[in-house]
Amino acid sequence: MDQESSFVVVANRLPVDRVTTDAGSEWRRSPGGLVTALHPVLSGQKATWVGWTGAAADRHENDLEATEPFELDGIRIRPVPIFQGEIERYYEGFSNSSLWPLYHDAVESPVFKRRWWDEYRKVNKRFADAAAEVAGPGATVWVQDYQLQLVPAMLRAARPDLRIGFFLHIPFPPVELFMQLPRRADVLQGLLGADLVGFQRPLNAHNFLQLTRHVLGLRPRGDCVELPDGRLVFAGAFPISIDVAEMEKLAASDEVVQRAAKFRADLGKPKTIILGVDRLDYTKGIERRLKIFRELLAEGRLSVPDTVMVQVATPSRERIEQYRSLRVKVEREVGRINGEYGRVGVPAVHYLHQSYSRTDLAALYRAADVMTVTPLRDGMNLVAKEYVAARVDNAGTLVLSEFAGAAAELRQAFLCNPHDLDNVKDSMLRAIHTEGADAARRMRIMRRHLKTHDVQAWAESFLTALDRTGRTA
Ligand code: ADQ
C-alpha cells in the first residue's frame, strides 16, 4: 500500500493488541479514546495508522514481516518495529524519564542522558519514514504526542506536499523549565515541521510560541509564527475529551447498574465511597491523596466503616525506577492506613493494582459517592470526564485538581490545589457533605458541557483547523 492513504495517524502505540488464542495469536482492536475519535475519519477514507505494537521487535525476524501492513476492523495498520535497546533509550529513557517529568512541572526530577537522544531521533526517523511511505500525494498526517516530536520536521523534509498536524497530550512547560532540556532547539524545530501544533490548554500553546522566540529568535504573532522560509506554523488549544455517548450508554446499562450495586454491597454498604482511578504515575498525586485520607481518619473527621476509599492504580512503566519506588511508597501508605484504621473484614482502603474492563470502571464510577482526581499536573485527565459522563443519575461529586486540564471545563467540581493538603481536605469534606440537590445541579451542568464537547468534536475541531492552515499563508 505504498503512498496511497489520504489520511495518516502516527502515534507511538497502534490501536491494536496482540492476544494469544488457542489457535496461536491474533490482533485485536484495543479500546481507546483516540481510535474511537478517529474511527469515522479513518474508516471514511483511505487511511492508515502508523505505530508500535508495544512488544520488542525480534532482530532475527524478517524485517519485512515486522513492518508488513494489515487491516483490522476497517483500519489499516502499519507497524513500526522497536528493538529492546531502543525501548530502553527512546521510550523509557528520553520519552518517559526526560520529557515526561520535565513537561509535568518536574514534579519528579527529569533525568538526561546523552545516548538517549540519539535513539529518540533514530526511532522518530523510523516513524517519519513509515508515514512518508504510506501517505498519498497531499495527504493529511496527524502526529501524536511527546514521543514523536521530531516526526513533523522529518516528514516535511521528505514530503513537503503533506499537510501535517501535531497534538501534544501532555502539558507543554513554561520557558524556564523547557530551557533545561538538552537539544531543546532540535525539539522545537521538530514541532515546527507541522502546519498546526495542538495543545490541551491555551497556556501550553502560549509557552510554545514564546519558546520559538526565546530559543530560535523567531517572532510569533497572535496564534502563529512565521519561519525564515515564509511558512506559517499555527498553535492552539484543542482540549481532548471522551466518547460521551458510549460511556453514558454503558453506565446506564443493567449490567453496570447491577455491578455497581454489587460493589457497594461487597464494600459493606458504607455511607460514603471515595474513589480514585489512575495510572500508577507520580503526576497523579495518589500518595498525597492517601495521606489526606489518613489525616482525616486520624482527626476523626471521617471514620471507618462509614467511609471507605477505593483506589484503582493501573500498573504503568514498571521498568522505570521512579515508578517502582512510587509503587512501594503507595503500598506502604495503604498498609499503614489499613493497619491503623481498618477492622477485621473492613479495610479502610481497598487498593487494586490492576487494569479494569470498561464495564467494571463504569460500575465503580456509578458506585462512588466522591471521585477524587488530584494530579499535581495533568494534560487533561480523562478519568474525570469519564466519571461525569457515567453519572447519568446526576448523583456523586467530583474533587478535581486545578492542575488538571479538565479543571478548565469542569468548573462545578470541588476544585482544589493538590500542593495544599489542607485545601484538598476541605474540598473533600465539602464534596462528601454537600446536599443532594447541590450535587445534582453541579453534575447536570458538567454533563451538559461534556455532551457538546466530546472526543468526536475534539477531532473535528483539530482537523478543521488543520485544513485551514496553508491556505492563509
Ligand atoms: P493518562 O496519563 O494515561 O493520559 P488519563 O487522561 O486519565 O491519563 O487517561 C487514563 C485512561 O486510562 C482513562 O481512559 C481511564 O479510564 C483508563 N484507566 C485508568 N485506570 C484504569 C484501570 N485500572 N483499568 C482500565 N483502564 C484504566 C494522557 C495524559 C492525560 C490526557 C490523556 C489523553 O497524561 O492528561 O488526558 O493522555 O490526552
Side-chain angles (χ1 to χ4, degrees):
M1 65 174 176
D2 280 352
Q3 296 207 350
E4 59 179 27
S5 288
S6 50
F7 182 63
V8 179
V9 174
V10 189
N12 178 58
R13 280 301 305 274
L14 286 169
V16 297
D17 289 316
R18 190 98 185 144
V19 285
T20 316
T21 60
D22 293 343
S25 68
E26 63 181 35
W27 293 105
R28 294 233 180 104
R29 202 170 122 187
S30 52
L34 200 55
V35 66
T36 313
L38 298 178
H39 203 262
V41 199
L42 288 164
S43 53
Q45 58 188 321
K46 283 189 168 179
T48 301
W49 189 304
V50 173
W52 175 42
T53 61
D58 186 349
R59 291 248 176 229
H60 304 296
E61 226 175 62
N62 182 340
D63 253 356
L64 246 181
E65 201 175 302
T67 59
E68 193 60 40
F70 60 92
E71 199 167 320
L72 190 80
D73 295 347
I75 301 176
R76 290 191 300 171
I77 302 287
R78 163 62 161 86
V80 176
I82 304 185
F83 300 100
Q84 187 53 46
E86 293 169 342
I87 295 175
E88 283 156 27
R89 293 183 282 272
Y90 146 79
Y91 182 70
E92 293 163 1
F94 198 75
S95 297
N96 287 319
S97 300
S98 307
L99 293 170
W100 177 270
L102 185 71
Y103 282 26
H104 285 91
D105 284 357
V107 294
E108 282 279 337
S109 298
V111 180
F112 302 117
K113 290 199 180 158
R114 276 172 289 188
R115 62 179 186 280
W116 289 350
W117 169 257
D118 297 333
E119 302 272 314
Y120 183 77
R121 202 177 42 201
K122 191 168 97 193
V123 175
N124 269 248
K125 181 74 168 49
R126 198 173 300 147
F127 277 85
D129 288 347
E133 182 191 303
V134 298
T140 294
V141 182
W142 193 359
V143 184
Q144 309 285 328
D145 229 358
Y146 62 103
Q147 305 93 346
L148 301 177
Q149 292 175 102
L150 307 183
V151 170
M154 290 170 166
L155 194 52
R156 182 164 300 280
R159 295 286 306 275
D161 60 305
L162 302 176
R163 192 177 295 267
I164 304 171
F166 179 91
F167 184 76
L168 187 72
H169 291 252
I170 67 175
F172 195 78
V175 172
E176 57 278 17
L177 265 178
F178 189 83
M179 293 307 281
Q180 288 184 17
L181 183 66
R183 318 304 296 237
R184 58 201 184 196
D186 300 78
V187 169
L188 290 175
Q189 295 283 13
L191 292 170
L192 288 170
D195 295 296
L196 172 65
V197 186
F199 299 90
Q200 302 277 24
R201 303 283 307 269
L203 191 59
N204 301 150
H206 173 80
N207 290 344
F208 170 69
L209 290 170
Q210 285 310 306
L211 275 156
T212 63
R213 181 201 308 274
H214 205 77
V215 177
L216 305 174
L218 299 175
R219 288 215 234 135
R221 285 225 185 110
D223 63 351
C224 75
V225 58
E226 187 177 341
L227 302 187
D229 65 2
R231 193 166 62 81
L232 290 180
V233 179
F234 288 81
F238 301 87
I240 199 169
S241 192
I242 58 159
D243 189 342
V244 176
E246 183 240 23
M247 180 49 88
E248 283 183 345
K249 190 166 159 231
L250 182 64
S253 69
D254 289 346
E255 190 185 0
V256 164
V257 171
Q258 281 160 16
R259 242 184 250 199
K262 171 114 176 32
F263 275 133
R264 281 203 86 92
D266 289 348
L267 290 166
K269 297 210 168 119
K271 256 198 236 141
T272 309
I273 298 173
I274 301 173
L275 177 65
V277 174
D278 312 80
R279 259 190 321 101
L280 188 49
D281 192 294
Y282 50 77
T283 59
K284 304 289 182 186
I286 303 168
E287 209 190 333
R288 282 172 197 235
R289 191 184 306 155
L290 288 165
K291 182 168 184 224
I292 286 164
F293 185 51
R294 172 163 55 78
E295 288 188 10
L296 287 171
L297 291 171
E299 291 159 9
R301 294 157 91 183
L302 295 179
S303 65
V304 181
D306 279 2
T307 307
V308 297
M309 183 164 180
V310 177
Q311 176 65 57
V312 182
T314 323
S316 182
R317 304 177 191 165
E318 293 182 296
R319 287 163 43 91
I320 300 175
E321 177 48 37
Q322 285 163 328
Y323 288 77
R324 277 202 288 254
S325 71
L326 172 70
R327 181 173 176 189
V328 171
K329 284 187 267 183
V330 164
E331 294 183 355
R332 191 185 299 144
E333 184 65 69
V334 169
R336 178 171 174 191
I337 298 173
N338 283 336
E340 287 177 26
Y341 302 101
R343 308 225 195 118
V344 173
V346 192
V349 181
H350 296 251
Y351 167 73
L352 303 143
H353 184 241
Q354 297 160 29
S355 204
Y356 269 59
S357 68
R358 303 297 299 162
T359 311
D360 275 339
L361 274 188
L364 279 172
Y365 292 150
R366 284 213 57 176
D369 297 292
V370 179
M371 178 79 198
T372 48
V373 178
T374 54
L376 301 167
R377 177 61 79 190
D378 216 331
M380 176 53 62
N381 197 293
L382 298 182
V383 169
K385 291 189 170 181
E386 288 168 1
Y387 172 71
V388 169
R391 294 318 301 241
V392 287
D393 54 354
N394 290 326
T397 50
L398 172 64
V399 175
L400 179 60
S401 161
E402 292 162 5
F403 291 77
E409 296 172 79
L410 304 177
R411 304 302 296 170
Q412 287 69 32
F414 291 85
L415 297 174
C416 64
N417 171 5
H419 300 275
D420 177 349
L421 298 192
D422 290 330
N423 177 256
V424 183
K425 267 189 204 171
D426 289 344
S427 297
M428 260 168 92
L429 290 173
R430 281 173 54 222
I432 290 170
H433 297 305
T434 191
E435 294 282 317
D438 179 46
R441 181 188 61 83
R442 289 168 182 264
M443 196 54 83
R444 253 197 311 271
I445 298 172
M446 292 193 286
R447 285 188 54 215
R448 202 179 308 141
H449 171 84
L450 282 191
K451 270 185 194 291
T452 49
H453 294 79
D454 62 4
V455 74
Q456 289 82 0
W458 167 77
E460 201 181 303
S461 72
F462 183 92
L463 291 171
T464 306
L466 178 58
D467 201 41
R468 281 202 210 106
T469 62
R471 292 194 192 131
T472 50

